[in-house]
């Protein structure tokens, strides 16, 4: 029996260490009432095994792979896809949402592990804009606000999310599978990665980056492309968006038709729409 006070800490530590050593990592404590009367109802089981002291289940050493749908943390019911195949031996993914993982592709076995009050499935269902706010608020938690290792990881995560939000992808969830992205969305994901590089003298060619964008969002994409240009790179856009055309430094009109009927330079324009060379090949001789 130990009377708990500041000066008795070393003795409490030795007692807990002795109990867990003799009982394979498990122990139990009780509160003693007046006159050395043991309060049986106050008993609490504790463990140093990182698991449940009541059922005996012990977590393995946590690893990032447990929280990835592409690794050992994938849902066993949908194999990490998030959707179920209605027939066996199908390579085509159905639209039937996997209820076990709520469409995240993540195993429900690890939902007991929480970060900031949310399990990993709930976090994966957040939009990128919501995820930015969630990660930003984690430093309000006492164990994390002074943890420099966490703060460095937090800053890196926020930088990556901010780049995706900057190219108008803040509505995407991190549970979204790559193959479900449209062509324009996939290009903007790559653009977000490019913006993080400090390369110079690189030629970037983007095919329809305005695809799927509302006119009000096109200007933000344009500003992101200007960052690449200001770093000393060349950016070529294959696009029909009026905003891009009016703001381009150099416009090249190819034709006269599309696909096999294209390939000829019909006209070229400098910034401001000044025509410098009309019908270079007259639509007859393919550009060499």
């Amino acid at each position: 029996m130990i009377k708990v006070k500041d000066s008795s800490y070393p003795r409490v530590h030795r007692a807990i260490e002795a109990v867990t050593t003799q009982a394979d990592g498990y122990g139990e404590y009780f509160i003693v009432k007046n006159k050395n009367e043991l309060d049986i109802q106050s008993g609490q089981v504790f463990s140093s095994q990182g698991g449940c002291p009541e059922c005996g289940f012990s977590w393995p050493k946590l690893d990032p792979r447990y929280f990835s749908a592409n690794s050992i943390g994938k849902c066993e019911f949908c194999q990490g896809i998030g959707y179920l195949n209605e027939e066996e031996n199908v390579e085509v993914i159905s639209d039937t949402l996997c209820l076990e993982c709520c469409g995240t592709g993540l195993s429900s076995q690890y939902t007991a592990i929480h970060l900031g009050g949310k399990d990993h499935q709930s976090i994966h269902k957040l939009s990128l804009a919501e995820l930015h706010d969630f990660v930003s608020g984690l430093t309000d938690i006492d164990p994390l606000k002074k943890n420099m290792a966490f703060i460095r990881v937090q800053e890196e995560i926020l930088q990556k999310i901010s780049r995706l939000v900057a190219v108008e992808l803040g509505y995407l969830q991190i549970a979204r599978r790559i193959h479900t992205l449209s062509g324009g969305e996939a290009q903007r994901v790559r653009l977000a990665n490019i913006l993080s590089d400090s390369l110079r003298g690189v030629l970037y060619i983007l095919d329809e980056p305005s695809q799927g964008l509302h006119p009000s969002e096109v200007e933000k994409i344009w500003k992101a492309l200007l960052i690449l240009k200001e770093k000393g790179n060349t950016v070529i856009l294959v696009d029909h968006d009026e905003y891009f055309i009016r703001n381009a430094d150099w416009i090249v009109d190819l034709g006269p038709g599309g696909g096999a009927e294209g390939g000829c330079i019909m006209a070229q324009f400098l910034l401001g729409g000044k025509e410098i060379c009309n019908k270079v090949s007259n639509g007859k001789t393919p550009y060499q």
Side-chain angles (χ1 to χ4, degrees):
M1 184 174 66
I2 302 173
K3 186 175 183 180
V4 179
K5 53 184 180 180
D6 291 342
S7 60
S8 62
Y9 174 79
R11 187 182 173 192
V12 173
H13 185 274
R14 290 194 301 270
I16 293 175
E17 190 176 52
V19 169
T20 53
T21 299
Q22 297 178 23
D24 295 327
Y26 293 94
E28 190 171 6
Y29 69 85
F30 297 87
I31 296 175
V32 178
K33 295 182 178 179
N34 295 331
K35 298 180 180 179
N36 298 332
E37 181 182 351
L38 190 67
D39 183 3
I40 300 298
Q41 301 299 323
S42 67
Q44 292 288 331
V45 179
F46 61 89
S47 170
S48 63
Q49 299 300 314
C52 177
E54 296 183 3
C55 68
F57 175 79
S58 181
W59 288 102
K61 184 178 180 180
L62 293 183
D63 186 287
R65 294 176 298 170
Y66 290 123
F67 308 101
S68 171
N70 297 319
S71 188
I72 56 179
K74 66 182 178 182
C75 174
E76 296 180 358
F77 289 83
C78 65
Q79 296 302 306
I81 297 174
Y83 292 85
L84 299 176
N85 292 326
E86 295 179 347
E87 300 179 7
E88 293 185 0
N89 301 321
V90 176
E91 312 216 337
V92 178
I93 302 172
S94 74
D95 294 329
T96 304
L97 188 72
C98 176
L99 299 180
E100 184 68 21
C101 67
C102 300
T104 63
L106 298 167
S107 172
S108 60
Q109 182 178 358
Y110 306 103
T111 53
I113 302 173
H114 284 207
L115 175 64
K118 295 182 180 294
D119 59 58
H120 65 318
Q121 287 186 354
S122 299
I123 294 174
H124 274 70
K125 288 188 290 185
L126 295 175
S127 68
L128 289 173
E130 293 170 337
L131 183 64
H132 188 281
D133 295 338
F134 172 73
V135 174
S136 298
L138 290 177
T139 45
D140 295 333
I141 302 175
D142 288 331
L144 298 178
K145 63 175 58 176
K146 296 181 180 179
N147 188 319
M148 296 307 299
F150 168 76
I151 292 175
R152 286 195 294 270
V153 173
Q154 180 193 43
E155 290 175 351
E156 183 177 349
I157 292 174
L158 291 177
Q159 287 175 2
K160 290 185 177 181
I161 296 175
S162 296
R163 289 195 292 267
L164 290 166
V165 173
V167 293
E168 296 298 323
L169 292 175
Y171 60 89
L172 292 180
Q173 297 177 341
I174 56 176
R176 181 84 173 265
R177 311 301 283 179
I178 289 294
H179 68 268
T180 67
L181 299 180
S182 68
E185 288 172 336
Q187 281 201 97
R188 278 178 276 155
V189 170
R190 291 192 289 271
L191 177 59
N193 292 328
I194 292 172
L195 291 174
S196 64
D197 296 332
S198 57
L199 299 177
R200 298 177 182 275
V202 178
L203 172 63
Y204 294 102
I205 302 177
L206 290 87
D207 184 18
E208 298 282 356
S210 67
Q211 181 181 358
L213 290 179
H214 187 273
S216 63
E217 300 171 329
V218 173
E219 184 177 357
K220 295 181 181 179
I221 298 298
W222 180 257
K223 290 180 179 178
L225 295 174
L226 287 181
I227 294 175
L228 290 178
K229 174 190 170 184
E230 291 166 358
K231 287 182 178 180
N233 302 298
T234 300
V235 182
I236 297 179
L237 303 181
V238 182
D239 209 302
H240 302 86
D241 184 82
E242 182 179 352
Y243 184 90
F244 284 169
I245 294 174
R246 289 186 177 277
N247 287 276
D249 296 331
W250 192 293
I251 303 170
V252 178
D253 184 20
L254 297 176
E261 298 181 3
C264 299
I265 296 181
M266 307 301 295
Q268 298 182 63
F269 301 87
L270 284 174
L271 178 64
K274 182 180 178 181
E275 187 172 9
I276 61 170
C277 189
N278 184 34
K279 296 183 180 178
V280 173
S281 62
N282 200 28
K284 296 180 179 179
T285 305
Y287 174 68
Q288 300 295 328

